[in-house]
Amino acid sequence: MRPECRRVGDMARGSSFAAIAALVVAIASGMHAPVWAAESAEQAASPPGASELPGLEAFVDGVIDGYMQKDKIAGVEVAIVRNGELLLLKGYGIDAVEPVQRVDPTRSLFRIGSISKTFTWLALLQLAERGQLELTDPVNQHLPDELDIPDEGFEEPIRIIDLMNHTAGFEDSIQHLFRAEGSPLLPLSQHLQKYRPHRVREPGRLMAYSNYGSALAGAIVASVSGMPFEDYIERNILEPLGMTSTTFRESYPPAPDLPAPMSEELARRRAENIEWRQGAWQAIAHEHIVSMAPAGSAVSTAADMARYMIALLDPEVMAGAGVLRADTVMRLREPTFQSAPGMPAVHHGFFNLPLGTTRPVGFDNLSHNGATLHFTSLMTVIPDLTVAPVFEEPGEGEDTATDALMAQQEGLVSGGTLGIFVTTNSSLGMRLAMQLPEHLLTRYFAGAGRGARSAAVDDRAPLQQYVGQYRSARRSYTKLEKILSLASLPISVSPEGELVAAILGEPARFVPIGEDLVRQTNGDVTLAFLRDEDGRITHVVTPGGAMARIGFFQSLPWLILILVAGLITSVGIVIGALLSRHRAPPSSVWEVRSRWVMIVMAVVWLAALALLAVWAISFAGPDGIDRFIYTYPDGLLKVALGVLLVAVGLTLLSIGTLVPAWRTPGWSLFRRVRHSLAIVILLALVLTLMQWNLVGFRYF
């Protein structure tokens, strides 16, 4: 589960062959069911502050209905709070298929994914406030011995604040984050011990989102408090805030080692995973996140999340509930990590997201999004909606434009606080979740558009130095899952001299605003470029984290090229052997052996590549992502990797045929070059597959 760029369950929608095939089918279009809107009793009478935003309900209705129809979203809940008051609480669509049941924002329990992490961060702040830990403490100081993190050659220990900032330096993994309903489950501590990822960089250097790090933070809460994580969150955060419809517990038969499941009453209120498939809404079986609960297992209602946002925005409310002191809430808003100068900071695990992606909005915020396999959510709280001054003084001839801007903003609301929560129970709901705040802010608040006038650097020639391919630092480095990170971000320069990058899905243009810093021309996204000691560009920092610059031989085009070359080479060897059956017999023993080594090697390569292709294609279809997550690594993959290992061994054996091929008389130069080139191509394929951890059984 991650904040900005969505993978499956915040991780799994990567770029594997299987993921690509499944995603293509999942986006298939179809007719949408009628959209029902349900108001809660809390919202039946217009709240006192609603008149401040005239037409709010009708406007939100129109926006949400449009996205539901276009993106095939079954159900939506939304809550909007301002200055401590509830402005809008509403449900749309359905939360169950058979029988059909309408969404109720006070009762329908939607999964909030990684927004769960924000409760984990509050728990750590509570323990720090009580003197039971310091956020700068090494994590091993507060973990049980079996969960101690080895140094793995790194000098600096991982601190608690590194877990909150996602700067611990862990590699990423999708393994066993989600478990199919009814499958065996592990308690948090056992899961963290069994599926520990490797450390791949010094802590505190780069932000790379980590579900494991967040779950580890939950283990610290449990260890320091002396009670199970779920119990701690209920007693110290949820109950004091009156969030009686929010829980980290899941529904399963009671088990000795697992947390107590959610109550039957709450289980009956769970919204279903619902997707539009084969012309109708279909309910998809629930997945479990119980083994990584602190990272994303919570369910909630929009009504409860409204209470949560009000408390986050008003330190006195949080203090009055006995959750955190007012000064601690203010401390929560302080930046704790900034990837590069000029970039939005992380604030104790909350993100300052770019709320304007197609037009500038410009408000600082404390936000978190979340996604499971089917639910998508966003919570954003803006502590200060005061209009910011224009960044640059109007130059000669700009008075008219400034007057027009002021006239456009006249009558719009300024100042105060705002909280927006939106959640959906369909996998394609993230676009709605991420863009609803932009629609609201640009319609109602005078700060909208302030980022459009930020001063830009005139000299755009240096932009060429940033051109290249960049791959997310949030990926696996040591396991076969590395292949899920095939996709990369291309950055180019337009004919007009602007940087072009598809950071949030659609290509956007950027202009320089400082040294190694660029800003979106029609939105809030800022990018920063990092250099090594020699001044070479090594990373681009995006709202979703750091991305490393890669060369051609690490890219997807190279992988495709060498796979095609290996396939053609293997086919060519087999065809050549068939055509030479009736030629003169071989002149030496080595020639016979060489011929058979090459033939068997080619056949085994074809078998290995065919098995890998069949394995990838087996996940085509709308439920391919779920099946991939639940079954990885399945039997077919293991067979394919075994055959591939034999192909690699035969390729290494074929190197021994090169010397006699060039020393023995009777071979033409063309035949010698052809023989050598085939071995070189297949060796290059071996090295490439080793780079992607495909050689061997590296899935644990």
Side-chain angles (χ1 to χ4, degrees), residues 506-639:
E506 296 295 327
R509 296 196 174 195
F510 298 81
V511 295
I513 59 171
E515 185 177 358
D516 292 333
L517 196 67
V518 298
R519 185 176 177 83
Q520 187 181 356
T521 58
N522 64 336
D524 289 339
V525 180
T526 302
L527 306 178
F529 293 88
L530 305 181
R531 299 177 182 271
D532 62 15
E533 296 177 352
D534 298 322
R536 294 172 296 193
I537 300 295
T538 59
H539 294 80
V540 60
V541 178
T542 76
M547 306 185 78
R549 196 174 196 172
I550 61 172
F552 175 69
F553 292 108
Q554 299 169 296
S555 68
L556 177 59
W558 165 252
L559 179 61
I560 294 174
L561 178 63
I562 195 62
L563 283 171
V564 171
L567 180 63
I568 292 174
T569 298
S570 299
V571 171
I573 292 172
V574 173
I575 292 175
L578 292 174
L579 294 177
S580 63
R581 283 185 304 168
H582 303 296
R583 293 180 183 173
S587 58
S588 64
V589 173
W590 80 262
E591 189 173 353
V592 174
R593 293 175 179 172
S594 172
R595 179 180 177 183
W596 279 109
V597 166
M598 297 296 288
I599 293 172
V600 174
M601 175 183 67
V603 170
V604 175
W605 268 114
L606 292 174
L609 295 177
L611 286 170
L612 287 173
V614 170
W615 173 76
I617 294 171
S618 70
F619 296 106
D623 63 341
I625 293 293
D626 294 31
R627 288 187 288 110
F628 173 74
I629 294 294
Y630 295 152
T631 62
Y632 171 84
D634 61 10
L636 181 56
L637 175 62
K638 294 175 182 178
V639 171

Side-chain angles (χ1 to χ4, degrees), residues 569 573 598 601 673-683:
T569 298
I573 292 172
M598 297 296 288
M601 175 183 67
V673 171
R674 183 184 64 190
H675 181 89
S676 303
L677 183 60
I679 294 174
V680 168
I681 290 173
L682 293 176
L683 280 173

Side-chain angles (χ1 to χ4, degrees), residues 634-652:
D634 61 10
L636 181 56
L637 175 62
K638 294 175 182 178
V639 171
L641 293 176
V643 176
L644 181 61
L645 196 59
V646 175
V648 170
L650 290 169
T651 303
L652 297 177

Side-chain angles (χ1 to χ4, degrees), residues 422-441:
V422 58
T423 182
T424 82
N425 59 350
S426 299
S427 60
L428 296 180
M430 186 55 79
R431 198 163 68 100
L432 164 62
M434 295 299 293
Q435 293 185 3
L436 180 61
E438 177 180 328
H439 289 291
L440 287 168
L441 291 167

